[in-house]
């Protein structure tokens, strides 16, 4: 169905739309916006390095480096998602639990890093389990962040961060179910749907950034 459509190329280019919008608000934005910009920039650079390594330059050196960069990006992603979600919580214990999730997530990624890049055979099932766990955790935290935002703001459709949090929740929640199908006979050909979900997430980001006023 998607064989004649360069959806991977479109997805890699699409991230630059919310990235540029976030960059334009860098000076007047708050800490959440600036870290969100850093998250998008890290993702864009990781994709760009992949294209240089495998498509444009076909460099063995860059192909050796790219998995480490990609792994670092996934690690940064989960830490940022935890921080972003808890920045909307109003519970007294939010700082404590944010640190707990940071520590646990980092330990899991350290173990998976040894599994991926250390001596011995790479256990792909464990790595898949780690990534699925990241999706579940991120969707869970974003859902509660949206609930806190709704309780505080009421009419959340006008809130810029509703769209950004909603985009992350939509992507993580949907991709988790696609990953579950990866263990069935439907595994082949599922990757394009993940890419499409990623582009839909960017649409959410763009809507949120457009609605965001300076300093918000």
């Amino acid at each position: 169905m998607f064989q004649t459509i360069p959806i991977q190329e479109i997805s890699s280019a699409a991230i630059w739309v919310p990235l540029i919008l976030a960059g334009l608000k860098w000076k007047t934005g708050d800490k959440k916006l600036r870290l969100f910009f850093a998250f998008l920039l890290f993702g864009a650079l990781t994709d760009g390095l992949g294209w240089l390594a495998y498509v444009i330059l076909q460099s063995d050196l860059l192909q050796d480096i790219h998995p480490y960069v990609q792994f670092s990006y996934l690690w940064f992603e989960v830490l940022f998602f935890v921080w972003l979600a808890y920045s909307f919580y109003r519970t007294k214990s939010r700082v404590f639990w944010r640190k707990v999730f940071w520590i646990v997530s980092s330990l899991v990624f350290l173990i998976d890093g040894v599994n991926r890049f250390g001596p011995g055979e790479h256990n792909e099932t464990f790595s898949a389990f780690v990534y699925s766990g990241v999706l579940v955790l991120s969707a869970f935290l974003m859902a509660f962040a949206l609930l806190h935002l709704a309780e505080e703001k009421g009419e959340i459709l006008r809130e810029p961060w509703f769209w950004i949090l909603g985009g992350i929740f939509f992507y993580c929640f949907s991709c988790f179910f696609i990953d579950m199908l990866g263990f069935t006979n439907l595994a082949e050909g599922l990757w394009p749907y993940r890419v499409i979900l990623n582009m839909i997430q960017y649409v959410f980001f763009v809507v949120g950034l457009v609605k965001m006023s300076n300093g918000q």
Side-chain angles (χ1 to χ4, degrees), residues 65-196:
I65 294 174
H66 183 254
Y68 293 93
V69 176
Q70 192 173 44
F71 181 78
S72 300
Y73 168 70
L74 293 175
W75 194 342
F76 174 79
E77 179 182 59
V78 68
L79 296 180
F80 170 66
F81 284 175
V82 170
W83 180 87
L84 180 63
Y86 270 94
S87 67
F88 290 92
Y89 292 5
R90 296 296 176 260
T91 57
K92 294 181 179 180
S93 59
R94 66 181 182 276
V95 175
F96 169 77
W97 285 109
R98 181 176 63 197
K99 292 180 179 179
V100 169
F101 277 117
W102 272 352
I103 293 172
V104 173
S105 299
S106 295
L107 288 175
V108 171
F109 267 86
L110 281 173
I111 295 172
D112 189 40
V114 174
N115 170 52
R116 287 173 181 263
F117 308 114
E121 186 176 353
H122 176 203
N123 187 335
E124 295 183 0
T125 301
F126 179 77
S127 294
F129 175 79
V130 170
Y131 187 66
S132 296
V134 168
L135 292 174
V136 172
L137 173 65
S138 300
F140 176 81
L141 293 176
M142 292 304 162
F144 275 91
L146 287 168
L147 287 176
H148 281 273
L149 187 63
E151 291 176 357
E152 181 180 358
K153 301 295 184 178
E155 180 54 56
I156 59 174
L157 291 179
R158 298 179 181 178
E159 292 297 320
W161 284 103
F162 162 77
W163 294 94
I164 295 174
L165 296 175
I168 297 171
F169 169 80
F170 168 79
Y171 176 77
C172 293
F173 186 77
S174 302
C175 284
F176 171 73
F177 283 100
I178 288 181
D179 284 353
M180 292 301 98
L181 291 175
F183 296 97
T184 69
N185 295 330
L186 299 174
E188 185 177 357
L190 288 177
W191 176 255
Y193 294 95
R194 291 179 60 95
V195 178
I196 291 173

